[in-house]
Amino acid sequence: MKLHEFNEQQAKQALARAQIALLPLGAVEPHGDHLPLDTDNLLAERFCALLEQQLGEAAISLPAVPYSQVWSLRGHAGAIDIGHDLLVQLLVALARNMASYGIATTAVINAHYGNFDAIKAAARMLKEEGITLLSYSWAGIDACVSQLRTSAVAYPGYMHADEIETSLMLALAPEYVDMAQARAHYPRFPANFRYRPVRWTEFSDYAVLGDPRCASQEKGQAFVQQALEATLASIRLHLAEGGGDDRSASHQY
């Protein structure tokens, strides 16, 4: 159920039934020439829609947050960075807003790895208030990726416009992918990259890390299915344990 598509009466009824809010979180940043700047937003929204279908009335989806922390890619054409602090404040405000309707859990469906620190900071702040912020970023796909990946990893722990992310786009938003423009790019990372802050513009003029030419829709569908199963299992466990519902909260309709 998408909250923003309801009229007032429908929203009132949906909010009364929902146990968890789903918040798609992406970014606006370059992903090479074969993917759009909107890649992370598209992935978050479309994966969130799959979760919504499975969870039914227990979940209510919020509009996607398209702007986020894009420090690493600041300077690359099209990157929009609102910074860490503002993103933390936004996540906290949105979760508090949903808690005011009695929905004590918001699950962030995150498709931009640069958001991890802000999500964690917001979750810790909210925990002190009895509000839960869950976070999912392609949960459970590591084994599947290890099995299906055929390209070399550009840098351990990083996934950007490569075989994996391009496969996800081919599965969830294929109409936005131009494989004719896909090309491999393996920049030379600074020797001390893992231990100090370095913007990508300092060592690369192209926002691809790996070889997207190895991507396929079939791989993407496998990744999506694994992530869907893992995310649903976690959310259902949380709800079964009593998380997500606080109908003692004042409903601000």
Side-chain angles (χ1 to χ4, degrees):
M1 300 184 296
K2 292 181 173 60
L3 179 62
H4 46 297
E5 294 181 357
F6 291 140
N7 61 32
E8 186 172 352
Q9 184 60 33
Q10 290 169 331
K12 190 176 295 187
Q13 294 169 355
L15 288 165
R17 293 190 296 261
Q19 298 174 267
I20 188 169
L22 305 178
L23 176 63
L25 177 61
V28 176
E29 62 176 8
H31 287 76
D33 295 331
H34 66 294
L35 297 177
L37 301 179
D38 205 32
T39 289
D40 294 342
N41 296 323
L42 288 164
L43 290 175
E45 286 180 311
R46 298 200 177 180
F47 186 71
C48 193
L50 297 178
L51 292 170
E52 179 189 318
Q53 291 171 10
Q54 295 295 317
L55 292 168
E57 293 183 344
I60 193 162
S61 293
L62 305 182
V65 174
Y67 303 119
S68 63
Q69 189 282 121
V70 189
W71 184 89
S72 295
L73 278 166
R74 192 191 304 165
H76 278 283
I80 298 179
D81 175 28
I82 67 170
H84 172 87
D85 293 344
L86 185 55
L87 180 56
V88 172
Q89 293 170 25
L90 180 57
L91 294 173
V92 168
L94 290 172
R96 283 174 177 164
N97 189 89
M98 299 316 295
S100 74
Y101 296 118
I103 302 171
T105 297
T106 293
V108 179
I109 309 304
N110 175 50
H112 174 58
Y113 283 12
N115 292 331
F116 285 157
D117 289 345
I119 297 170
K120 182 182 289 186
R124 289 175 174 176
M125 291 174 62
L126 289 162
K127 183 176 175 63
E128 302 302 318
E129 303 173 23
I131 300 171
T132 300
L133 192 70
L134 302 176
S135 174
Y136 300 100
S137 299
W138 309 118
I141 72 168
D142 288 351
C144 190
V145 167
S146 296
Q147 179 183 5
L148 298 181
R149 179 196 288 273
T150 57
S151 62
V153 177
Y155 196 86
Y158 280 75
M159 177 187 81
H160 190 78
D162 62 346
E163 176 185 356
I164 310 309
E165 191 167 32
T166 303
S167 293
L168 289 167
M169 279 291 285
L170 286 169
L172 292 173
E175 70 271 31
Y176 290 95
V177 183
D178 183 0
M179 290 302 290
Q181 297 294 323
R183 60 184 173 94
H185 183 65
Y186 286 89
R188 183 177 180 180
F189 286 77
N192 220 19
F193 177 78
R194 187 172 296 280
Y195 306 105
R196 63 184 177 89
V198 182
R199 285 202 171 93
W200 292 9
T201 48
E202 296 180 38
F203 62 88
S204 177
D205 60 357
Y206 191 57
V208 170
L209 301 181
D211 192 349
R213 297 172 302 175
C214 297
S216 73
Q217 188 173 62
E218 292 73 23
K219 292 176 184 177
Q221 289 169 341
F223 301 152
V224 169
Q225 185 60 33
Q226 287 294 310
L228 187 62
E229 291 175 5
T231 305
L232 285 170
S234 174
I235 288 175
R236 285 170 173 156
L237 176 62
H238 176 72
L239 296 180
E241 292 175 340
D245 204 351
D246 182 13
R247 300 300 162 178
S248 63
S250 59
H251 289 205
Q252 299 178 3
Y253 297 140

